[in-house]
Amino acid sequence: MKIGSVITDNFTVLAPLAGITNLPLRLLAKRAGCGLVCSEMISANGLVYGSEKTVQLLTSMPEEKPLSVQLFGSNPPILAEAARIVQDSGADVLDINFGCSVKKILKSNSGSALMKDPPLARRLLDSVRKAVTIPLTIKIRSGWEPSGKQAMEIARLAEDCGVDAISVHPRTATQGFRGEADWSIIAAVKQALTIPVIGNGDVTTPADAMRMLAETGCDGVMVGRAAVGNPMIFGEILATAQGRPAPVSNDGQRIDMMIGYLQDSVRYLGEETACRMMRSRLCWFVKGMRNAGRFRNAIRFIASEKEAMDLIRQYAESIESEPIMPDCR
């Protein structure tokens, strides 16, 4: 897939997920075969005013490239300055969030609020486009009502402003993640534009990805929640697209992912912060595995990398030694 000057290895994209798609998770997705990984949503104000925690979110590694960094904000000069900071950090693609419908984001007139204000959206995109030379993308929703008219208006406006690609999550701002994504809106946006369109929403299996490509004609498929705890979905999608049997992740691979995620998190966040985070996040990887409940209970109070590693290894040994009971139904 070609986004401006950036050519990705394939058509799969990791969605930006606030508080989740940090460097350690992006590395897992990239190792699993993802073509383009995206940062979590980053405040333009936080970058410009030098918030240490915000600036840390720009930390990257060559292994994850190409990297898209997503900003949110509503002040054109501030967003333009933040865009320059992102470009100087080495990001390959800059994305502007037009889709977040969390109340505190909407109160700042950012995210989905921009879809109600095309004049502001134009000023914002013109300002950012003039500030940077790296590819510029936006991520939108259907809008504030289900027809998709606002998505079409913002998509056309964005292309006119020099945006290089658009990701479409076809749920309304009021839906959040409820209900079904209306893929016909992705198809309509694709038909109306000449730039690449990336589809997002309700892709939980390789079959979903293939169906989205077929039904909408989109250029890329973005996966979000389904990739959390199962980054192997990217390799599964690629295998299916190439007519190969989809690889099935086994217990050993999941254990390896947990270890890699723990180690990268400690390196990136520091041991204390990483271990607090691992108390809930390691649970992502054991869903559907034997003794998962026992493992979840065991990691609730981990305080060191060694303790977490010991518990992961003990869990691995327990599922290796315990025989699989036959189905007696």
Side-chain angles (χ1 to χ4, degrees), residues 75-91:
N75 182 301
I78 292 291
L79 261 169
E81 180 59 29
R84 283 188 282 267
I85 294 171
V86 168
Q87 178 171 267
D88 291 345
S89 76

Side-chain angles (χ1 to χ4, degrees), residues 107-325:
K107 283 182 180 179
S108 69
N109 211 27
S110 305
S112 292
L114 293 169
M115 298 192 71
K116 288 182 175 180
D117 193 344
L120 174 59
R122 182 177 289 278
R123 293 196 303 273
L124 187 154
L125 291 175
D126 281 340
S127 181
V128 172
R129 182 67 288 176
K130 291 173 184 175
V132 296
T133 58
I134 59 174
L136 173 63
T137 66
I138 66 172
K139 187 172 188 290
I140 66 174
R141 280 182 174 256
S142 303
W144 287 84
E145 43 85 22
S147 72
K149 288 182 181 178
Q150 288 172 319
M152 194 65 67
E153 181 179 12
I154 293 295
R156 289 191 173 115
L157 181 155
E159 184 174 45
D160 188 53
C161 291
V163 166
D164 296 291
I166 294 179
S167 301
V168 182
H169 180 181
R171 283 185 171 91
T172 66
T174 53
Q175 271 184 284
F177 291 104
R178 298 184 302 275
E180 292 186 0
D182 182 359
W183 290 358
S184 69
I185 294 173
I186 301 173
V189 172
K190 173 58 186 173
Q191 290 172 6
L193 304 185
T194 60
I195 59 177
V197 173
I198 299 165
N200 176 223
D202 292 350
V203 174
T204 61
T205 67
D208 292 334
M210 297 303 102
R211 188 164 57 85
M212 177 180 277
L213 289 170
E215 291 183 9
T216 71
C218 63
D219 302 278
V221 173
M222 178 177 280
V223 184
R225 290 172 293 164
V228 176
N230 181 33
M232 297 297 292
I233 191 173
F234 295 108
E236 294 167 2
I237 290 172
L238 293 179
T240 302
Q242 295 164 2
R244 298 183 286 108
V248 179
S249 60
N250 56 42
D251 291 348
Q253 288 173 315
R254 291 199 187 190
I255 295 297
D256 288 343
M257 282 191 290
M258 279 195 282
I259 291 173
Y261 186 52
L262 168 65
Q263 292 174 333
D264 287 337
S265 295
V266 169
R267 274 196 294 269
Y268 171 54
L269 300 167
E271 186 172 35
E272 183 179 353
T273 300
C275 287
R276 283 200 307 269
M277 191 176 288
M278 292 304 103
R279 293 170 188 173
S280 60
R281 297 197 176 188
L282 288 177
C283 299
W284 295 343
F285 301 92
V286 300
K287 186 178 179 180
M289 292 173 64
R290 284 171 290 157
N291 300 333
R294 194 182 306 166
F295 178 72
R296 284 193 292 269
N297 286 331
I299 64 171
R300 285 187 302 162
F301 304 106
I302 53 175
S304 70
E305 181 179 10
K306 181 182 183 305
E307 183 182 3
M309 193 71 73
D310 288 344
L311 288 170
I312 292 172
R313 288 175 174 150
Q314 288 168 21
Y315 176 62
E317 291 171 2
S318 77
I319 58 178
E320 286 174 5
S321 60
E322 182 175 303
I324 300 175
M325 298 301 292

